[in-house]
C-alpha cells in the first residue's frame, strides 16, 4: 500500500486519505498491476468523499468485490438512494408514527425499504401489520420463556391490539424487546387506521397466534405436510393479509382475495428460503425446521449434515430442500402477473427476486451447513434496482434459474425433479427475455469515448500556411497512436453493434398464466 501511494504521490492512510475508514474492512487487497492500483486508490478517494456526504454504507464493502464486479457500482448507488429514503420518511411523521417507522427500520431494514415506498395509506396499514406480527413472532420465538407461557400469550396476543396502553415485558432482545415494551404506541397507531384495515390485521394476528401455539411445543418438524403447515401459519397468512389490505385500499382487484393459494405460496416461498439459509444458525440455537421426512433420507441425524464425511449426502439433502421451495415459484409468478399498482408490484416483487436469488446462491453450496449464506451487497443492489416491471422481473428469474441449473450435479437424487421445475419456470420467463443483449449503457459510453477521441485528434492537428493539416508527417507519438487505434476500434464497434439496441424481439408475447 505504501509503495503504491508513493508511486502515485498521493496521501497514504496515515495522512487522512481514508480518514475514519478502517483498511481492514477491505479484506486482503492484492494489487497485481499499476492499473489495479489506480482503481483501488480512486475507490478509496471515492469512499473518503462519499463519507463526507453520508455514503457510509459503502464503508463495509470490500474493494475486491468492486474490482471483480464493476457493473454493480451504478446499482449500488441507486440502491443507496432507496436505502436512505426510508429513514428520511420516518423523520417526517409525528412522534407515534415516527416510533413505528423507526422500529420498522430496526427490526427489518430490507422490508422497511419496500414498505416505505408504498402510497401513504397502504404504507401505514402494512407498517402496523408488520410490527404487530413481528411482536407476535418475538413472543413465539423466545425460547428462554417456558413454552406453556408462550403458548397462552400467542393465542391471546390478538386481543391486546385493541387495548390502549397495553405493553409486554420479558420477551425478546434489543429492538424486538423495545418494540414489545412500547407496544402501546403500536396499538395507538393501529386504532387510528380505518376499521376495514383493523379487521384484516386482527384476524390474521389471531390465526397466526393460534397456529404458532399449535407448534410451540414441537421439538422438530417431522413431515413435509408439517413443514408446509408451519410455513403457512408464520408466512402464508402474511400473504393472505397483505392481499386483503391491497384489495381493501382499492389498489388491487378482488382476485387477490379469492385466489388465496397464490397469496399463501408467496409467503411460504420466502419462509422456506429463510429456513434453508438459516440451517446453521437454527441448529446452533437448537431449533429444527428442516422436515425429518426429507433429511432422514440422507443422514441419521440433522446435525450430521455438517460433517465433512457426509458432504455428498448433505448437498443432496440441501438440493432437495431447494427443489421443494422452487415448487412455489410458478404460483408466485402468477400472483405478480396480476398486480396492477406499481408500488404494490415493487413491494411484492423485490422480496421474491431476492428469495430466488438466495436459492441460486445456496444451491449445492456446502457453506450453508456452517454459516449464514447471503447475497453479496452488489448482487442485492442489482436485483433491487433492476426489478422495475414484470418483464425485468422475468428476466431476473430466468437468470437465477439458469444459475441454479448450471449447478445441478448429474448424480443428484433430485436431478430430474429440479430440472423439470426449472424448465417450467424458464419457459414462462422466456418470452420476456430479449433476444439481443442490453447495450444501451455500453453504447452511451462508446459514444462519449468516440467524441473524446475525435476531440483529442482534432485538437492535436493544426494549420500550416492557412490550411488545416491532418497528417503532420513523421512517426506519431505514443499518445497519438493510442488515440488513432481507439478511434478505429470505436468506429468498428459503432458500425457492428450500435444498432442492436434497436432490434426488437421476435418472440411471441407471453400469455396470462
Amino acid at each position: 500500500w505504501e509503495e503504491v501511494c508513493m508511486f502515485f504521490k498521493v496521501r497514504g492512510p496515515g495522512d487522512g486519505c481514508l480518514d475514519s475508514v478502517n483498511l481492514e474492512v477491505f479484506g486482503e487487497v492484492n494489487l497485481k498491476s499499476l492499473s489495479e492500483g489506480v482503481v483501488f486508490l480512486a475507490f478509496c478517494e471515492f469512499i473518503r468523499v462519499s463519507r463526507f456526504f453520508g455514503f457510509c454504507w459503502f464503508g463495509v464493502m470490500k474493494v475486491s468485490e468492486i474490482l471483480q464486479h464493476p457493473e454493480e457500482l451504478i446499482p449500488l448507488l441507486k440502491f443507496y438512494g432507496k436505502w436512505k429514503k426510508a429513514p428520511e420518511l420516518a423523520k417526517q411523521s409525528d412522534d407515534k408514527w415516527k416510533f413505528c417507522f423507526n422500529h420498522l427500520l430496526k427490526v427489518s431494514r430490507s422490508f422497511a425499504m419496500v414498505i416505505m415506498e408504498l402510497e401513504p395509506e397502504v404504507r401505514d396499514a402494512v407498517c402496523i401489520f408488520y410490527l404487530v406480527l413481528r411482536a407476535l413472532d418475538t413472543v413465539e420465538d423466545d425460547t428462554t420463556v417456558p413454552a406453556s407461557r408462550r403458548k397462552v400469550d400467542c393465542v391471546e396476543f390478538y386481543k391486546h391490539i385493541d387495548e390502549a396502553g397495553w405493553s409486554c415485558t420479558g420477551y425478546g432482545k434489543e429492538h424486538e424487546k423495545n418494540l414489545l415494551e412500547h407496544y402501546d404506541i403500536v396499538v395507538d397507531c393501529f386504532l387510528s387506521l380505518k376499521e376495514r384495515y383493523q379487521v384484516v390485521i386482527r384476524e390474521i394476528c389471531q390465526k397466526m397466534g393460534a397456529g404458532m401455539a399449535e407448534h410451540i411445543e414441537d421439538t422438530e418438524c417431522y413431515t413435509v405436510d408439517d413443514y408446509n403447515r408451519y410455513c403457512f401459519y408464520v408466512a402464508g397468512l402474511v400473504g393472505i393479509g397483505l392481499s386483503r389490505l391491497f384489495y381493501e385500499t382499492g389498489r388491487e382487484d378482488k382476485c387477490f382475495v379469492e385466489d388465496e393459494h397464490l397469496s399463501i405460496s408467496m409467503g411460504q416461498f420466502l419462509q422456506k428460503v429463510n429456513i434453508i439459509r438459516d440451517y446453521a444458525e437454527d441448529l446452533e440455537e437448537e431449533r429444527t425446521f428442516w422436515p425429518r421426512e426429507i433429511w432422514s433420507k440422507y443422514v441419521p441425524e440433522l446435525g450430521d449434515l455438517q460433517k465433512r464425511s457426509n458432504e455428498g449426502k448433505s448437498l443432496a439433502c440441501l438440493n432437495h430442500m431447494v427443489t421443494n421451495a422452487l415448487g412455489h415459484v410458478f404460483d408466485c409468478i402468477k400472483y405478480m402477473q396480476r398486480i396492477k399498482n406499481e408500488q404494490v408490484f415493487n413491494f411484492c416483487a423485490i422480496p421474491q427476486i431476492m428469495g430466488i436469488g438466495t436459492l441460486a446462491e445456496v444451491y449445492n453450496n456446502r457453506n450453508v451447513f456452517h454459516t449464514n449464506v447471503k447475497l453479496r451487497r452488489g448482487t442485492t443492489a442489482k436485483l433491487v434496482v433492476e426489478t422495475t416491471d414484470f418483464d425485468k422481473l422475468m428476466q431476473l428469474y430466468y437468470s437465477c434459474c439458469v444459475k441454479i441449473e448450471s449447478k445441478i450435479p448429474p448424480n443428484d437424487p433430485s436431478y430430474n425433479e429440479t430440472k423439470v421445475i426449472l424448465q417450467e419456470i424458464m419457459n414462462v420467463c422466456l418470452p420476456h427475455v430479449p433476444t439481443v443483449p442490453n447495450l444501451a449503457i455500453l453504447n452511451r459510453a462508446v459514444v462519449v469515448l468516440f467524441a473524446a477521441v475525435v476531440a483529442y485528434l482534432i485538437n492535436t492537428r493544426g494549420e500550416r500556411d492557412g490550411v488545416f493539416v491532418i497528417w503532420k508527417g513523421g512517426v506519431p507519438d505514443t499518445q497519438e497512436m493510442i488515440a488513432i487505434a481507439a478511434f478505429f476500434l470505436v468506429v468498428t464497434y459503432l458500425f457492428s453493434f450500435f444498432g442492436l439496441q434497436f432490434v426488437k424481439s421476435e418472440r411471441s408475447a407471453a400469455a396470462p398464466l
Side-chain angles (χ1 to χ4, degrees):
W1 165 259
E2 292 294 344
E3 290 177 358
V4 174
C5 286
M6 290 177 62
F7 181 87
F8 291 101
K9 298 181 181 179
V10 299
R11 293 171 296 170
D15 298 320
C17 179
L18 297 179
D19 292 335
S20 60
V21 180
N22 188 339
L23 283 176
E24 292 181 2
V25 303
F26 296 119
E28 182 180 353
V29 180
N30 297 314
L31 303 177
K32 300 178 181 179
S33 66
L34 293 182
S35 61
E36 288 190 11
V38 171
V39 174
F40 180 62
L41 287 172
F43 184 72
C44 289
E45 187 67 11
F46 165 76
I47 290 180
R48 185 186 69 81
V49 176
S50 296
R51 284 175 68 88
F52 178 77
F53 290 103
F55 286 79
C56 58
W57 186 76
F58 289 99
V60 297
M61 290 200 62
K62 294 184 178 181
V63 170
S64 57
E65 290 185 12
I66 295 295
L67 294 176
Q68 294 172 12
H69 307 277
E71 75 282 357
E72 294 175 350
L73 183 57
I74 292 177
L76 281 167
L77 292 170
K78 291 181 178 179
F79 180 78
Y80 174 79
K82 286 177 173 284
W83 183 74
K84 287 290 288 182
K85 184 179 179 180
E88 290 171 359
L89 285 173
K91 295 176 183 177
Q92 301 171 10
S93 308
D94 61 36
D95 290 341
K96 290 183 178 180
W97 280 101
K98 186 180 296 184
F99 171 86
C100 292
F101 290 139
N102 283 333
H103 268 71
L104 182 65
L105 288 164
K106 291 174 182 177
V107 298
S108 179
R109 182 169 291 275
S110 57
F111 272 105
M113 182 181 68
V114 291
I115 289 175
M116 298 300 274
E117 289 193 341
L118 292 168
E119 297 171 65
E121 184 179 0
V122 189
R123 177 196 66 203
D124 294 348
V126 173
C127 173
I128 297 303
F129 183 54
Y130 183 88
L131 290 178
V132 168
L133 299 186
R134 186 59 180 255
L136 172 60
D137 181 68
T138 302
V139 172
E140 184 259 352
D141 207 35
D142 192 345
T143 54
T144 62
V145 179
S148 57
R149 178 187 167 187
R150 286 186 289 134
K151 189 172 184 177
V152 173
D153 287 346
C154 282
V155 172
E156 301 290 324
F157 195 83
Y158 79 97
K159 297 179 180 179
H160 303 305
I161 201 170
D162 292 299
E163 296 180 19
W166 186 87
S167 60
C168 179
T169 58
Y171 285 105
K173 298 177 181 178
E174 299 179 350
H175 303 311
E176 285 81 3
K177 180 174 183 283
N178 192 42
L179 174 63
L180 280 166
E181 290 176 347
H182 296 86
Y183 193 72
D184 56 307
I185 299 176
V186 178
V187 171
D188 289 341
C189 291
F190 168 80
L191 294 175
S192 71
L193 297 174
K194 293 179 179 179
E195 178 62 27
R196 60 179 182 270
Y197 305 152
Q198 293 184 30
V199 170
V200 174
I201 297 172
R202 189 184 298 109
E203 287 183 4
I204 296 299
C205 183
Q206 179 182 6
K207 292 178 181 179
M208 183 176 291
M212 287 178 168
E214 179 184 323
H215 292 276
I216 273 182
E217 295 180 347
D218 293 349
T219 56
E220 66 174 302
C221 182
Y222 288 94
T223 67
V224 174
D225 286 340
D226 292 338
Y227 180 49
N228 290 331
R229 185 160 53 252
Y230 173 77
C231 291
F232 164 75
Y233 282 126
V234 300
L237 284 171
V238 178
I240 292 175
L242 288 171
S243 296
R244 287 178 61 185
L245 287 175
F246 296 148
Y247 169 68
E248 293 294 347
T249 57
R251 270 54 178 191
E252 298 299 337
D253 295 333
K254 196 173 183 179
C255 65
F256 276 72
V257 179
E258 295 173 340
D259 294 337
E260 282 193 349
H261 70 284
L262 300 182
S263 302
I264 293 170
S265 279
M266 290 281 285
Q268 286 181 320
F269 174 73
L270 295 179
Q271 183 64 25
K272 288 184 177 183
V273 171
N274 290 338
I275 288 174
I276 295 169
R277 183 197 61 196
D278 296 340
Y279 165 86
E281 180 182 323
D282 289 338
L283 196 66
E284 184 178 344
E285 297 181 4
E286 298 182 349
R287 296 183 296 185
T288 302
F289 296 105
W290 286 33
R292 176 182 284 272
E293 184 179 338
I294 290 180
W295 61 257
S296 61
K297 295 179 180 179
Y298 305 95
V299 289
E301 298 294 334
L302 184 60
D304 293 342
L305 294 173
Q306 292 182 317
K307 295 179 180 179
R308 179 70 66 175
S309 58
N310 291 330
E311 184 172 294
K313 296 178 180 179
S314 300
L315 290 177
C317 180
L318 170 62
N319 297 343
H320 191 152
M321 290 289 292
V322 171
T323 301
N324 175 274
L326 286 171
H328 295 283
V329 171
F330 193 81
D331 279 348
C332 296
I333 293 175
K334 189 174 182 179
Y335 180 96
M336 290 182 287
Q337 191 180 36
R338 298 182 178 186
I339 299 176
K340 296 180 179 180
N341 184 275
E342 182 180 350
Q343 285 77 25
V344 172
F345 175 82
N346 290 336
F347 173 83
C348 296
I350 288 175
Q352 292 293 324
I353 196 61
M354 295 282 291
I356 195 168
T358 300
L359 289 186
E361 194 69 26
V362 302
Y363 187 86
N364 207 49
N365 186 342
R366 64 176 62 88
N367 293 329
V368 171
F369 301 108
H370 307 287
T371 186
N372 193 311
V373 177
K374 294 183 178 181
L375 294 171
R376 291 183 303 100
R377 287 182 181 269
T379 303
T380 298
K382 194 169 184 292
L383 292 175
V384 170
V385 302
E386 290 187 1
T387 306
T388 55
D389 55 44
F390 190 73
D391 284 335
K392 291 288 186 181
L393 177 67
M394 292 297 94
Q395 293 166 26
L396 292 171
Y397 263 112
Y398 187 85
S399 63
C400 289
C401 288
V402 169
K403 182 176 180 179
I404 296 174
E405 187 178 42
S406 68
K407 296 168 67 176
I408 303 177
N411 59 344
D412 188 87
S414 305
Y415 179 90
N416 290 331
E417 185 181 358
T418 309
K419 288 280 286 188
V420 169
I421 293 175
L422 290 175
Q423 196 59 53
E424 288 178 352
I425 299 171
M426 289 191 288
N427 287 342
V428 172
C429 298
L430 196 58
H432 304 273
V433 179
T435 55
V436 293
N438 185 0
L439 301 175
I441 296 177
L442 179 59
N443 284 346
R444 292 170 191 167
V446 170
V447 169
V448 171
L449 178 61
F450 175 76
V453 171
V454 170
Y456 172 80
L457 291 174
I458 292 176
N459 189 53
T460 57
R461 306 301 96 183
E463 291 187 3
R464 183 178 300 169
D465 297 330
V467 179
F468 186 78
V469 178
I470 297 178
W471 183 253
K472 296 179 180 179
V475 179
D477 57 29
T478 304
Q479 291 181 343
E480 280 205 359
M481 291 180 67
I482 294 174
I484 293 171
F487 174 80
F488 282 107
L489 286 174
V490 168
V491 170
T492 302
Y493 173 87
L494 291 175
F495 277 110
S496 302
F497 302 106
F498 186 79
L500 286 179
Q501 66 175 314
F502 304 107
V503 176
K504 295 183 179 180
S505 174
E506 295 183 356
R507 291 198 181 109
S508 59
L513 298 179

